[in-house]
Amino acid sequence: MPETEKTHAELAVKIEAMHKWYGQFHVLKNINLQVRRGERIVICGPSGSGKSTMIRCINRLEEHQQGDIIVDGVELTNDLKNIETIRKEVGMVFQHFNLFPHLTVLENCTLAPIWVRKSPKAEAVATAMEYLERVQIPEQAHKFPGQLSGGQQQRVAIARSLCMNPRIMLFDEPTSALDPEMIKEVLDVMVELAQEGMTMLCVTHEMGFAKTVANRVIFMDEGEIIEENSPDQFFDHPEHERTKLFLSQILSH
Amino acid sequence: MSAPQYAPGKHPDLPAPSTLAGPLAWVRANLLSSPSNITLTLLSLWFLWSVIPGALNWFFFDAVYSGENRAACRAAGEGACWAFIGEYLKLFTYGFYPEESRWRVNLAFVLMWLALVPILFDRVPHRKYGLYYAAAFPFIAGWLLVGGLGLAPVTTDKFGGIMLTLVVGVTGIAFSLPIGILLALGRSSKLTIIRVFCVGFIEFIRGVPLITLLFVASTMLSYFLPPGTNFDLLLRVLIMVTLFASGYMAEVIRGGLQAIPSGQTEAADALGLKYWQAMRLIVLPQALKISIPGIVNTFIGLYKDTTLVIIIGLYDPLGIGRAALANTSWIGLSTEVYIFVAIFFFVSCFAMSRYSLYLEDKLETGHKR
Ligand SMILES: Nc1ncnc2c1ncn2[C@@H]1O[C@H](COP(=O)(O)OP(=O)(O)O)[C@@H](O)[C@H]1O
Ligand SMILES: [Mg+2]
């Protein structure tokens, strides 16, 4: 993909009339979503509403059956070339970190740059150390993931994604598997990333985070986008009954 | 004696009590922990006491190390007649390999160890080139043993003894692992044709005894081949043994693959790794690691199954031993022969087993999440 074409795609993500089924189960129904460059979107909704499935469609971890998904100007089809192009540009952070346990922290971070971007090893190591420093764990570089705390592992996972120099970052409940005292250290990294202008789609129920960084909050229920609004409007004046119910549930504990 | 008191937050780490450490503590915990444990310990001691002296006498002190024939052995002592084994040692080692070319077998044996070093240990200098050499080794060894290209040809019906066991065992081990990996990956492939083929192959192999496959190799295969083709018997055996072990290997590795959480491939996909990269760099290293006990188990099974070649007329150490027993001047010394063969197999298999423990230990990288 030539550089010029990349920078001219005005929308980072464009999803139009997208549907997805698991067998007979209609999991995503008529999803329409546009994300501009540099925008931060927070997606929330009850468990099982299809939030993960939706953001996993964006980098083709899940295949959609109807409608269009255009990421960074490239349409997601069965064309492997397009999928490869998109995956290089889209980083993803998972709820359970999904670090590679048999590789050191540093190797986790350099693997994709070396094998996918074909960076020279020294360069990949330098970049990786830079990002590990930014997530404040350069001293753990030579440890294995199993030797780190959950919060540290998630920060490594973020650094690992950033090493590929992505233009869009997807987060799927990055703090839900963490002990309470570690949530902040991960959110801090994410806030910093947002302030640098990264395009982010983030599934999370951390309302403080949503209020600080999100341009828009999206509420999903039963496979549909029910409501889409600025954080202030969303939290203070939710429009739909289901949104109100959901907010009352998550704010009550 | 009253325990010293410490202020809250000031309690130091104290050494463990002597009941937890030291050889005496070990004896107490492992041999004398309860009345039934004490009984077992005493019974075991009594058993060792009554067996070991007799065994030592038979094996070493009363054994006869030289002699012309069985009568000479029996005249000289009560114990094992190792003179018999000594007489046949060359046959046990080289089979019927021509005397003047046996240096080639020796050389191949030394080269095998050189090839094993970079495979078995990862901290050897220039390991990459060592691995290239190891990959080339089967072909170098094949050339050395069979001859041609400047070496005097030796037909494979001259192969026998320990050398035959090693040829069949090492070939089977070297090729069944990669084939097994491919079969295991194919079995979980999204492509139906590949999946059906792999499942069919694995189920066929597991449903048929190795002996049957060896008979097929020795007799029936010639009906299927175009007339006039001379397809070496040993080669057919090698193929059958390898395929047989591959089927089992595939199932062992499939177990390992299933234990890898799907998050691992998802993370690899999300980073943009291609299927084969994700398999080679992420999934297989982890899957193979947890499959090590099963893989080595399959290796050991294969190695011992090489004795089955006896029934299609090849002479492995067991076959040589049985042939030697037919010699009238040594008749009746089957105990010595079988013990010798058993020791040979035990040493090889025990080494593999210990190595697998070492490997598991080395690949441990802290607890998993
Ligand atoms: N691989 C799958 N096969 C079948 N159903 C699935 C699969 N993955 C998720 N689902 C179902 O799809 C729905 C949406 O799941 P998900 O996107 O994970 O929800 P969320 O992330 O909002 O909790 C759930 O009802 C879930 O049970
Ligand atoms: Mg989810």
Side-chain angles (χ1 to χ4, degrees):
Chain A
M1 177 104 340
E3 197 61 32
T4 49
E5 204 175 324
K6 249 179 151 159
T7 39
H8 285 290
E10 55 200 294
L11 286 174
V13 179
K14 182 168 160 190
I15 303 179
E16 271 184 343
M18 189 261 278
H19 292 256
K20 172 167 178 63
W21 287 264
Y22 282 125
Q24 284 301 311
F25 175 45
H26 198 169
V27 55
L28 292 178
K29 301 164 187 162
N30 191 31
I31 301 289
N32 289 284
L33 177 68
Q34 303 204 340
V35 183
R36 286 187 310 278
R37 224 157 254 313
E39 232 185 342
R40 276 96 51 193
I41 311 282
V42 160
I43 301 154
C44 60
S47 170
S49 56
K51 308 177 296 292
S52 301
T53 309
M54 185 180 81
I55 69 163
R56 288 156 60 90
C57 282
I58 295 174
N59 64 351
R60 238 328 142 109
L61 290 187
E62 302 289 349
E63 194 179 328
H64 62 285
Q65 278 84 38
Q66 253 178 49
D68 300 323
I69 302 180
I70 297 165
V71 182
D72 212 27
V74 181
E75 183 170 0
L76 263 179
T77 57
N78 280 326
D79 189 344
L80 280 181
K81 269 235 129 26
N82 287 4
I83 297 177
E84 274 167 30
T85 315
I86 287 173
R87 282 180 178 168
K88 275 191 216 168
E89 304 303 333
V90 179
M92 184 158 197
V93 174
F94 300 86
Q95 182 175 358
H96 295 287
F97 330 135
N98 298 0
L99 292 176
F100 306 131
H102 62 303
L103 301 177
T104 63
V105 165
L106 186 62
E107 288 165 341
N108 264 278
C109 293
T110 55
L111 185 90
I114 290 174
W115 289 93
V116 180
R117 289 242 189 257
K118 313 282 179 212
S119 308
K121 182 154 182 236
E123 194 179 298
V125 168
T127 317
M129 286 313 293
E130 199 177 295
Y131 281 113
L132 286 175
E133 231 144 88
R134 271 183 47 188
V135 301
Q136 318 209 329
I137 33 177
E139 71 282 1
Q140 314 284 5
H142 297 287
K143 289 199 185 158
F144 287 99
Q147 300 165 314
L148 305 188
S149 74
Q152 291 173 323
Q153 293 196 44
Q154 193 59 297
R155 285 185 283 151
V156 172
I158 295 175
R160 175 176 74 176
S161 285
L162 293 178
C163 284
M164 280 295 280
N165 199 11
R167 311 175 126 236
I168 301 165
M169 285 288 287
L170 309 174
F171 293 84
D172 190 1
E173 306 207 30
T175 56
S176 324
L178 296 178
D179 293 335
E181 79 270 18
M182 296 171 183
I183 292 178
K184 186 172 176 300
E185 64 189 52
V186 171
L187 288 180
D188 284 348
V189 170
M190 292 169 61
V191 169
E192 197 180 310
L193 199 59
Q195 284 162 353
E196 285 162 18
M198 176 66 78
T199 310
M200 293 165 66
L201 281 90
C202 187
V203 177
T204 182
H205 294 158
E206 291 296 330
M207 293 308 144
F209 174 78
K211 283 178 186 161
T212 331
V213 304
N215 302 100
R216 268 186 291 155
V217 180
I218 284 173
F219 175 71
M220 286 184 74
D221 195 12
E222 296 185 358
E224 286 182 276
I225 295 184
I226 304 287
E227 186 164 343
E228 188 177 338
N229 230 324
S230 70
D232 294 341
Q233 282 293 318
F234 183 84
F235 290 113
D236 300 339
H237 308 287
E239 287 168 16
H240 289 262
E241 279 311 310
R242 283 197 251 177
T243 320
K244 287 178 193 162
L245 181 66
F246 174 74
L247 285 175
S248 71
Q249 279 164 350
I250 61 164
L251 294 179
S252 67
H253 62 248
Chain B
M1 196 177 88
S2 76
Q5 296 298 313
Y6 302 101
K10 296 277 187 265
H11 206 303
D13 294 343
L14 302 173
S18 61
T19 44
L20 274 183
L24 271 181
W26 186 90
V27 169
R28 197 175 314 153
N30 289 285
L31 302 179
L32 308 171
S33 64
S34 66
S36 53
N37 199 342
I38 294 175
T39 318
L40 275 176
T41 304
L42 290 177
L43 275 176
S44 308
L45 283 177
W46 172 79
F47 176 76
L48 291 177
W49 176 250
S50 44
V51 165
I52 288 185
L56 284 180
N57 281 340
W58 187 84
F59 268 96
F60 301 110
F61 305 124
D62 295 343
V64 182
Y65 298 92
S66 59
E68 289 293 296
N69 52 35
R70 178 171 190 260
C73 255
R74 282 289 166 262
E78 289 288 287
C81 178
W82 297 129
F84 172 45
I85 302 295
E87 173 96 0
Y88 280 93
L89 198 56
K90 288 219 160 104
L91 204 58
F92 270 120
T93 313
Y94 300 102
F96 313 102
Y97 209 82
E99 196 115 16
E100 68 280 6
S101 297
R102 284 184 184 169
W103 63 270
R104 282 152 52 178
V105 179
N106 295 339
L107 181 59
F109 186 71
V110 172
L111 291 180
M112 176 186 84
W113 286 103
L114 284 182
L116 281 176
V117 169
I119 296 177
L120 297 184
F121 304 103
D122 60 353
R123 290 231 185 83
V124 292
H126 306 294
R127 180 168 189 236
K128 197 165 135 199
Y129 300 104
L131 288 176
Y132 289 147
Y133 160 66
F137 168 76
F139 304 97
I140 300 174
W143 169 62
L144 273 177
L145 296 180
V146 180
L149 300 173
L151 289 175
V154 176
T155 52
T156 55
D157 55 355
K158 297 278 189 292
F159 288 25
I162 291 173
M163 170 236 175
L164 179 67
T165 299
L166 286 178
V167 166
V168 179
V170 170
T171 310
I173 285 174
F175 289 96
S176 65
L177 186 61
I179 298 177
I181 290 174
L182 290 180
L183 284 171
L185 290 177
R187 191 165 184 165
S188 51
S189 167
K190 278 189 228 143
L191 303 172
T192 311
I193 306 275
I194 293 185
R195 196 173 57 241
V196 166
F197 171 80
C198 292
V199 172
F201 180 85
I202 293 169
E203 294 305 335
F204 170 74
I205 289 287
R206 291 204 305 172
V208 179
L210 178 57
I211 295 193
T212 317
L213 289 179
L214 289 176
F215 272 130
V216 170
S218 75
T219 57
M220 278 170 61
L221 223 55
S222 22
Y223 296 117
F224 300 135
L225 295 170
T229 40
N230 182 15
F231 194 11
D232 189 84
L233 177 62
L234 179 62
L235 190 57
R236 298 184 209 171
V237 168
L238 289 179
I239 292 174
M240 283 305 182
V241 168
T242 304
L243 293 183
F244 187 76
S246 305
Y248 281 87
M249 195 62 80
E251 285 300 282
V252 167
I253 292 168
R254 185 166 71 102
L257 288 174
Q258 280 176 342
I260 306 302
S262 58
Q264 293 289 305
T265 29
E266 285 171 9
D269 285 349
L271 285 168
L273 293 170
K274 299 200 175 82
Y275 174 81
W276 284 110
Q277 291 176 327
M279 286 302 142
R280 187 161 77 78
L281 300 166
I282 307 299
V283 177
L284 282 175
Q286 298 181 57
L288 292 180
K289 190 203 128 185
I290 44 181
S291 314
I292 288 173
I295 291 175
V296 174
N297 202 24
T298 311
F299 281 169
I300 289 177
L302 173 149
Y303 191 75
K304 292 192 297 185
D305 278 352
T306 57
T307 49
L308 288 176
V309 297
I310 204 173
I311 58 150
I312 56 165
L314 295 179
Y315 286 88
D316 82 314
L318 205 55
I320 301 272
R322 290 169 63 97
L325 285 174
N327 184 335
T328 43
S329 58
W330 293 102
I331 210 149
L333 293 173
S334 50
T335 316
E336 281 84 345
V337 167
Y338 292 132
I339 285 189
F340 172 74
V341 174
I343 290 176
F344 162 69
F345 276 104
F346 178 79
V347 167
S348 323
C349 296
F350 189 65
M352 286 192 241
S353 160
R354 297 312 296 185
Y355 175 76
S356 97
L357 286 182
Y358 155 82
L359 197 60
E360 278 176 65
D361 210 37
K362 197 188 67 176
L363 294 179
E364 186 56 52
T365 61
H367 60 92
K368 299 276 152 41
R369 283 253 173 189

